[in-house]
Amino acid sequence: MSSARKLVRVLSGDPEKVSPVWLMRQAGRYLPEYRKLRAEAGSFWTMALTPKYAAEITLQPIRRFGFDAAILFSDILTVPEALGQKVTFTEGEGPSLTPVTSAKGFDEDQEHWSSYFEPVYEALRLTRGALGPETTLLGFAGAPWTLATYLAAGVGGDEQKAAKLWAYRDPKGFGYLLDILGECVAFHLIRQLDAGADAVQIFDSWASGLPMPLFEQVVIEPTKKIVRAVRAARPEAKIIGFPRAATLAGYEIYVQATGVDAVSLDTAAPMRWAAENLGCVLQGNLDPIALIAGGAALDRAVDDILEATAGRAHIFNLGHGILPETPIAHVEQLLKRIRG
Amino acid sequence: MSSARKLVRVLSGDPEKVSPVWLMRQAGRYLPEYRKLRAEAGSFWTMALTPKYAAEITLQPIRRFGFDAAILFSDILTVPEALGQKVTFTEGEGPSLTPVTSAKGFDEDQEHWSSYFEPVYEALRLTRGALGPETTLLGFAGAPWTLATYLAAGVGGDEQKAAKLWAYRDPKGFGYLLDILGECVAFHLIRQLDAGADAVQIFDSWASGLPMPLFEQVVIEPTKKIVRAVRAARPEAKIIGFPRAATLAGYEIYVQATGVDAVSLDTAAPMRWAAENLGCVLQGNLDPIALIAGGAALDRAVDDILEATAGRAHIFNLGHGILPETPIAHVEQLLKRIRG
């Protein structure tokens, strides 16, 4: 039976005349209603781990723009927290953790994971209850490699050095870290599906700059295991992978080897190349800075993507998260250009 | 007549049984003799613009390691300075400039460029005089796009937002900026060749993340013009291009369209793919973090590159600059692995 949700239909491989659309970080600082609620909640973690806040923030961009999908307001660093690794968010500085050199002390108790993640699942249930039947609800998690870059360096951002060094010097210990992270990620994705998510996205935000043997070891293998574990538990699960700024060869292997239903492309991966070379549903890949620029440049960039994906199962999205300074009028312009 | 310099022979397309080798940023902070001279000179600009310092620093890694090429110690931001844009280096913070929104006030007087750059040319002459006949001397410049990212943002590093916004909103004004930068870059490369450089490298360090139409506009077209201008003036000029972290499709177009003799690959671009798909001399692409790691991981990473480039004209190098914490013993291990 065909779903009432356009994005779910597309994830099954059926092209739509008008691509469904959502934007990474669509619940975020570019929205005045988000900034207002942020001021009220006080801290990022309070927002993310209080179901009524998380649900409300998730719903804000749907009310304003009618995106085809709501993505739960949460953070990829919930997984390290569930594993007992404290994460602190400092305003204007991003997250910080105590750097680790071993995963031996990680909390592997699934009961603890369940109770830690419970507010996330409650937020999903609240969101699903408030969404219209046509709107897809997405859950997500960070991929083990990206989480490992935070755990090894103790900071967020594009800081792969510590994790790479660990992977090169101690492949066995690093493999153990990736395995534990992968188990917790799979656990979390399955329970997000159970709590009402129609599909889940795996964010490997720092998948760039990896030599192919390392890419296969730290991106492909862990992701393959997660997809297998999720499908073993929930055979109908729809999974989107986002190995951001992988090489084109990396994207090809990722799609072939991991078994994701869809792949999300970064700003540079040519959508025309993807339509010809990747045998899965495509998502992406508008440059968030074209969305800030607006005007003719935005229209042209949108048209490029729509032309490249015509007749293909495609979900319109950005190549990276929407930036705080994005004018709301440009999001409206984008939707008008896509939907006519 | 075949050159006495192995790296020059390879740049002509002739494979060597043992690939010539040099490392980006090989004259730098990982060397105690560099740190000593840095303390004596006081500031980065004093080192770069005082011929005896610049030549001495250029020679240091050749004396210690016998690399096949010396690359002149200088900085890509000499070009903005020649154009009248003051660049300040603050210890631990990187360069800063006054952000520009127009290239209209730039100093286009070639006499001024000549006199500004003269210490660089003198440093090249001093270096050439001190190098053995077997050692190749390389000059270099930043590519217009990468220079534009610094000029638009006023800071260095991976900060493309301001330049991208400018390119999207004002393609004509941004094209004018790229043209002026390109003229100064071509001027500087030609005169570096005249001052004794055997070949030159064009660094497009921030070529990642660009949608293909923008990549063609800001990377391909300006580089094509520079190569054409340099070849028109010095038909025998050997040019290496480094569009760092371009997509694989981007590398293909770059090699086909710009006419560079060699392309330098970042850490992630698979050398095996390059050997099959790029019809030019290949350079790169060891992960600088594998060089920090050392041990079996380093040997394996070196072997991967050597196997992928066997029988091909190849220059061994890193995929990005050597990092300050790199142990000297690992550079020795690298050279032993390559040279046997």
Side-chain angles (χ1 to χ4, degrees):
Chain A
M1 200 187 71
S2 179
S3 172
R5 293 168 197 154
K6 184 190 264 194
L7 199 141
V8 171
R9 294 197 300 272
V10 168
L11 277 179
S12 304
D14 301 328
E16 290 277 331
K17 199 157 179 298
V18 175
S19 289
V21 52
W22 68 281
L23 304 179
M24 290 189 274
R25 286 191 205 271
Q26 66 189 15
R29 282 190 284 159
Y30 74 109
L31 291 176
E33 57 269 37
Y34 172 93
R35 296 193 297 268
K36 186 158 171 273
L37 210 140
R38 172 73 197 258
E40 184 189 320
S43 87
F44 179 82
W45 270 144
T46 303
M47 285 198 299
L49 296 174
T50 307
K52 65 165 188 173
Y53 283 135
E56 173 59 21
I57 294 168
T58 305
L59 291 163
Q60 283 175 346
I62 308 305
R63 286 196 204 105
R64 187 185 270 271
F65 300 115
F67 289 125
D68 293 282
I71 183 160
L72 184 73
F73 181 79
S74 185
D75 194 86
I76 64 168
L77 296 178
T78 50
V79 164
E81 283 235 317
L83 291 163
Q85 304 304 304
K86 179 93 192 122
V87 179
T88 312
F89 282 88
T90 314
E91 191 67 44
E93 280 187 27
S96 69
L97 303 79
T98 305
V100 300
T101 54
S102 160
K104 280 192 184 122
F106 282 25
D107 189 339
E108 298 188 52
D109 176 8
Q110 297 203 348
E111 294 289 323
H112 175 255
W113 296 356
S114 272
S115 66
Y116 174 80
F117 284 131
E118 182 47 34
V120 177
Y121 309 140
E122 177 60 15
L124 278 165
R125 288 186 292 265
L126 288 175
T127 307
R128 183 69 271 171
L131 280 176
E134 73 288 358
T135 307
T136 298
L137 179 56
L138 299 174
F140 72 94
W145 163 251
T146 290
L147 297 174
T149 66
Y150 288 73
L151 284 160
V155 293
D158 190 5
E159 183 48 74
Q160 304 173 320
K161 196 184 342 183
K164 271 188 170 181
L165 268 178
W166 185 352
Y168 282 130
R169 285 178 172 158
D170 174 22
K172 209 171 146 186
F174 194 72
Y176 179 64
L177 171 69
L178 294 177
D179 279 346
I180 292 184
L181 288 167
E183 278 166 38
C184 190
V185 166
F187 174 97
H188 189 35
L189 293 177
I190 290 164
R191 274 146 195 87
Q192 289 182 70
L193 292 163
D194 293 346
D198 295 296
V200 288
Q201 177 156 327
I202 301 169
F203 285 82
D204 222 342
S205 305
W206 308 121
S208 60
L210 299 171
M212 189 57 85
L214 193 60
F215 183 80
E216 291 183 338
Q217 176 192 334
V218 302
V219 172
I220 299 296
E221 286 308 315
T223 305
K224 197 196 285 188
K225 284 183 196 168
I226 290 168
V227 173
R228 195 184 297 143
V230 173
R231 290 262 166 73
R234 305 292 177 270
E236 302 299 311
K238 294 292 172 203
I239 305 174
I240 306 168
F242 183 35
R244 190 168 74 82
T247 64
L248 301 188
Y251 275 112
E252 274 191 281
I253 293 169
Y254 187 92
V255 167
Q256 286 160 14
T258 65
V260 292
D261 299 282
V263 72
S264 202
L265 299 168
D266 67 272
T267 51
M271 196 51 97
R272 234 165 270 277
W273 169 88
E276 284 165 21
N277 292 279
L278 299 180
C280 68
V281 177
L282 303 173
Q283 181 175 274
N285 67 341
L286 183 72
D287 186 350
I289 296 168
L291 190 58
I292 298 176
L298 174 57
D299 283 346
R300 218 165 20 241
V302 172
D303 292 351
D304 276 350
I305 293 170
L306 294 180
E307 281 164 33
T309 56
R312 279 291 303 255
H314 171 244
I315 299 162
F316 203 103
N317 206 322
L318 298 171
H320 201 358
I322 189 169
L323 290 158
E325 63 268 49
T326 307
I328 283 171
H330 295 179
V331 179
E332 289 163 350
Q333 179 189 339
L334 167 74
L335 288 169
K336 191 150 179 258
R337 195 76 182 180
I338 297 169
R339 293 174 171 171
Chain B
M1 200 185 72
S2 179
S3 172
R5 293 169 197 154
K6 184 190 264 195
L7 198 142
V8 171
R9 294 197 300 272
V10 168
L11 276 179
S12 303
D14 302 329
E16 290 276 331
K17 198 157 178 298
V18 175
S19 288
V21 51
W22 68 281
L23 304 180
M24 289 188 275
R25 287 192 204 270
Q26 65 189 16
R29 282 190 283 158
Y30 74 109
L31 292 176
E33 57 269 37
Y34 172 93
R35 296 194 297 268
K36 186 158 172 271
L37 210 140
R38 171 73 197 257
E40 184 188 319
S43 86
F44 179 84
W45 269 144
T46 303
M47 285 199 299
L49 296 174
T50 306
K52 66 163 188 175
Y53 283 135
E56 173 59 21
I57 294 169
T58 305
L59 291 163
Q60 283 175 346
I62 309 304
R63 286 196 204 106
R64 187 185 270 272
F65 300 115
F67 288 125
D68 292 282
I71 183 160
L72 184 73
F73 180 79
S74 184
D75 194 85
I76 65 167
L77 296 178
T78 51
V79 164
E81 282 235 318
L83 291 163
Q85 303 305 303
K86 179 93 191 121
V87 179
T88 311
F89 282 88
T90 314
E91 192 67 43
E93 280 187 28
S96 68
L97 304 80
T98 305
V100 301
T101 54
S102 160
K104 280 192 183 123
F106 281 25
D107 190 339
E108 298 189 52
D109 176 8
Q110 297 203 348
E111 294 289 323
H112 176 255
W113 296 355
S114 273
S115 65
Y116 174 81
F117 285 131
E118 182 47 34
V120 177
Y121 308 140
E122 178 59 16
L124 279 165
R125 288 186 293 265
L126 289 175
T127 307
R128 184 70 269 173
L131 280 176
E134 74 288 359
T135 308
T136 298
L137 179 56
L138 298 174
F140 73 94
W145 163 249
T146 289
L147 297 173
T149 66
Y150 287 73
L151 283 161
V155 294
D158 189 5
E159 183 46 76
Q160 304 174 322
K161 197 183 344 181
K164 271 188 170 180
L165 268 178
W166 186 351
Y168 282 130
R169 285 179 173 157
D170 174 22
K172 210 172 146 183
F174 194 71
Y176 180 65
L177 170 70
L178 294 176
D179 280 345
I180 292 184
L181 288 167
E183 278 167 36
C184 189
V185 165
F187 174 97
H188 189 35
L189 293 176
I190 291 165
R191 274 148 194 86
Q192 288 182 71
L193 291 163
D194 293 346
D198 295 297
V200 288
Q201 178 156 325
I202 301 169
F203 285 83
D204 223 341
S205 306
W206 308 120
S208 60
L210 300 171
M212 190 56 85
L214 193 60
F215 183 80
E216 291 183 337
Q217 177 192 333
V218 302
V219 171
I220 298 296
E221 286 308 315
T223 305
K224 196 197 286 189
K225 284 183 195 168
I226 290 168
V227 173
R228 194 184 296 143
V230 173
R231 291 263 165 73
R234 305 292 177 271
E236 302 300 309
K238 294 290 173 206
I239 304 173
I240 307 168
F242 183 35
R244 191 167 73 83
T247 64
L248 301 187
Y251 275 112
E252 275 192 281
I253 293 169
Y254 187 92
V255 167
Q256 286 161 12
T258 65
V260 293
D261 299 283
V263 72
S264 203
L265 299 169
D266 67 271
T267 51
M271 195 52 97
R272 236 165 269 277
W273 170 88
E276 284 165 21
N277 292 280
L278 300 180
C280 69
V281 178
L282 303 173
Q283 181 175 274
N285 66 340
L286 183 73
D287 186 351
I289 295 167
L291 190 58
I292 299 177
L298 174 57
D299 284 347
R300 218 166 18 242
V302 173
D303 293 351
D304 276 350
I305 294 171
L306 295 179
E307 281 164 31
T309 56
R312 279 291 303 255
H314 170 244
I315 300 162
F316 203 102
N317 206 321
L318 298 171
H320 201 358
I322 189 168
L323 290 159
E325 63 267 49
T326 307
I328 283 170
H330 294 180
V331 179
E332 289 163 350
Q333 179 189 340
L334 167 76
L335 288 169
K336 191 151 181 258
R337 195 77 183 178
I338 297 170
R339 292 174 173 172

